Amino acid sequence: MGDPWYRGIGGTDPGRSLILIRTKRGREIFHQAMEQGYVKAEPADPNIIYRSQINLLGKRQAIWGRLLAMRALGIPSRS
């Protein structure tokens, strides 16, 4: 889940979260939660993910240099 920062929210607007499901099992669990009333959701344009998290693209591209430096210094890192 993530915050969709592609739009401003008004005074009484509770806001929204983005949900990205990657696996069949995750989809099953999510649909069960919807059926049982734990979650309310509606389909959205996939481009919202890009528009809402555009700043993360630069961070993702900059991380390779940091990871390389950490490996060179023997600092544990995950890639």
Side-chain angles (χ1 to χ4, degrees):
M1 291 182 41
D3 297 325
W5 294 105
Y6 68 96
R7 66 180 180 93
I9 48 177
T12 59
D13 187 348
R16 295 177 182 239
S17 291
L18 294 173
I19 303 166
L20 179 65
I21 301 171
R22 295 179 173 216
T23 66
K24 181 180 177 183
R25 181 71 179 131
R27 185 175 293 114
E28 291 169 356
I29 292 169
F30 182 74
H31 283 276
Q32 288 174 2
M34 282 180 41
E35 290 168 5
Q36 295 174 13
Y38 292 108
V39 178
K40 290 182 184 178
E42 60 189 47
D45 179 359
N47 289 321
I48 288 175
I49 296 170
Y50 173 77
R51 292 193 323 250
S52 66
Q53 305 294 326
I54 198 163
N55 64 319
L56 294 180
L57 289 176
K59 289 180 182 181
R60 180 74 177 166
Q61 293 168 349
I63 197 165
W64 297 111
R66 293 181 196 142
L67 288 173
L68 184 60
M70 290 173 71
R71 287 186 188 131
L73 295 171
I75 300 170
S77 63
R78 289 179 50 184
S79 52

